[in-house]
Amino acid sequence: MNSILSVAGVEIRRFLRDKSNIFFVFVFPLLLILLLGSQFGAGSGQAHVSLAGGSGTALERKIAGQLEADGLRVTSGRPDTVRAELSRGRTDVGVFISDAAASAFGAGQPAGLEVVMSSQAGAQAALQRVRASVQAVATEQRQRAVLENAGVTGDKAADALKQARESVQLPRLELIDTGNVSQQFTGLGQFDLGAAQQLLLFVFLSSLTGSATLIQARRLGVIARVMAAPVTSGRVIAGQALGRFGIAVVQGGYIMLGTALLFGVDWGNPFLAGLILAVFSAVAAAAAMVIGSILDNDAAASGIGVGAGLVLAGLGGSMVPPEFFSETLQSVSRATPHRWAYDAFAEVQRHDGGLLDILPQLGVLAAMAAGLLVVGALLLRRSLSRAL
């Protein structure tokens, strides 16, 4: 075990000496997630309205009930929380209820509301629906005021209005989505989908390009000197893979933490999200060892690593969500580790899945990692007999 840790330590130190890794591994992924989320990020398929203030008051209950009756998703929070959600695109419209407005509404007087719209593409349509709902509440309030001014008590006025609503059949417009695609993304924040996709893309891409360090170690005779000691090729490949695995996990954990803090990305259960990252990182590290054992030119290995990483990421749904793939491409994408990790993240992020729900994906990823490690160890032993 000491030999494996020693080889892994050397791999990590060589990675840290390359200052360009700081940008491409840690800075560039966050910039790309910000760009993609700002341009193409989508919120919930259902308009989302957040209420702030007036908790427990008649005005808050009336507005919340009317918004829900009109088909909008309603949540409540503190004013600073709602403003943060608006800035991050996690809600379409924020309605702020002051104490003065709640008191005025309770006294039957006109009440003013502060309504703030986010910069999301569908926020304008959501704002119109909020206005219609608020107008319905105001209309009902005026109707009750007219009845009470005519001598009708409050309870009788409410009953009369309820009977009037039940006796009138309002026109309805019903939209049916037969593709079942939009439901797959319901509840996602502006950056949630892009963060998961770019996490898989960059973790795998960085690991494959790191295969060049194994070739350099072979060329400089480092591997040969290590194996001159009682160290097997399996231990060498395990040490190299462990070093790449550690780098991949740190990079992925950094992306998760950074996007959660900066962009409000919801990764679901943190333990399960970390477990998915760990198993996927193992596959990426093992794949890097295979490329580093097959090729003898480190520049070619870096180029092939970039090309293969981008192709696999595209097929696995890290560029375009696989929900939009054709049936044939859906089947092809199952051959990539990205697709299995994407499905696992989708289960945890969107559907609050548990360990049993993602166990099939984790099993496939673990099998891929184990198979690639065995192949890498065999190829490394054969590569030592070739002249570099």
Side-chain angles (χ1 to χ4, degrees):
M1 189 64 188
N2 290 335
S3 58
I4 295 177
L5 294 176
S6 298
V7 174
V10 172
E11 179 73 7
I12 294 174
R13 286 194 294 271
R14 295 185 66 185
F15 168 82
L16 295 176
R17 289 195 185 104
D18 189 353
K19 303 302 181 184
S20 64
N21 288 327
I22 298 177
F23 176 78
F24 288 104
V25 174
F26 297 111
V27 178
F28 186 59
L30 295 183
L31 292 178
L32 190 57
I33 291 171
L34 174 61
L35 175 63
L36 294 177
S38 301
Q39 295 296 322
F40 307 107
S44 169
Q46 182 185 24
H48 183 195
V49 181
S50 296
L51 301 181
S55 178
T57 62
L59 178 58
E60 192 266 347
R61 290 194 301 270
K62 282 288 186 179
I63 291 179
Q66 186 63 47
L67 291 172
E68 292 175 351
D70 292 340
L72 288 86
R73 185 162 62 96
V74 181
T75 58
S76 301
R78 297 186 305 175
D80 55 342
T81 303
V82 173
R83 294 187 187 278
E85 291 178 349
L86 287 167
S87 64
R88 294 170 180 171
R90 299 184 64 86
T91 189
D92 296 305
V93 178
V95 179
F96 298 87
I97 303 173
S98 64
D99 294 337
S103 300
F105 182 85
Q109 300 297 322
L113 298 176
E114 179 186 0
V115 180
V116 180
M117 182 183 68
S118 72
S119 58
Q120 293 294 92
Q124 185 65 45
L127 178 61
Q128 296 303 320
R129 297 178 65 183
V130 171
R131 286 177 175 174
S133 299
V134 173
Q135 184 63 35
V137 174
T139 300
E140 181 182 354
Q141 182 76 350
R142 286 194 295 268
Q143 290 171 341
R144 290 191 59 178
V146 170
L147 292 175
E148 291 175 358
N149 291 334
V152 181
T153 61
D155 293 339
K156 290 183 178 181
D159 292 338
L161 292 175
K162 182 179 179 181
Q163 293 176 6
R165 285 193 299 267
E166 293 175 349
S167 62
V168 176
Q169 184 66 37
L170 297 177
R172 296 183 59 189
L173 176 62
E174 184 176 357
L175 300 178
I176 301 177
D177 182 7
T178 58
N180 199 32
V181 175
S182 61
Q183 287 88 344
Q184 295 293 330
F185 304 103
T186 298
L188 283 177
Q190 182 179 6
F191 300 97
D192 290 2
L193 177 62
Q197 290 177 309
Q198 300 311 307
L199 169 70
L200 301 177
L201 168 64
F202 279 100
V203 167
F204 203 84
L205 190 63
S206 299
S207 297
L208 289 192
T209 55
S211 61
T213 60
L214 178 58
I215 298 176
Q216 294 171 359
R218 287 166 47 207
R219 174 180 289 111
L220 298 175
V222 176
I223 300 298
R225 289 194 297 272
V226 171
M227 295 187 65
V231 179
T232 64
S233 61
R235 292 181 181 178
V236 174
I237 202 73
Q240 290 280 342
L242 181 61
R244 297 309 312 180
F245 171 78
I247 295 170
V249 169
V250 171
Q251 180 189 16
Y254 168 81
I255 293 176
M256 281 185 172
L257 182 61
T259 53
L261 296 177
L262 296 177
F263 311 132
V265 173
D266 182 9
W267 291 97
N269 187 303
F271 170 76
L272 295 180
L275 184 59
I276 298 170
L277 170 63
V279 180
F280 181 78
S281 298
V283 179
M289 296 305 99
V290 172
I291 294 179
S293 300
I294 292 177
L295 300 178
D296 296 333
N297 187 289
D298 54 346
S302 297
I304 291 177
V306 171
L310 293 176
V311 170
L312 290 175
L315 291 176
S318 292
M319 297 179 183
V320 177
E323 287 83 0
F324 297 103
F325 289 177
S326 64
E327 292 185 4
T328 302
L329 195 55
Q330 287 269 4
S331 301
V332 173
S333 68
R334 299 289 180 186
T336 66
H338 300 69
R339 176 58 192 275
W340 293 97
Y342 175 93
D343 289 345
F345 273 124
E347 190 68 36
V348 173
Q349 280 185 290
R350 308 174 200 172
H351 310 298
D352 295 326
L355 180 60
L356 294 179
D357 297 314
I358 62 173
L359 204 56
Q361 292 88 344
L362 295 179
V364 172
L365 290 173
M368 287 182 177
L372 289 173
L373 276 176
V374 172
V375 172
L378 296 176
L379 292 175
L380 178 62
R381 179 171 291 277
R382 293 184 58 183
S383 68
L384 295 176
S385 62
R386 300 196 305 266
L388 289 174

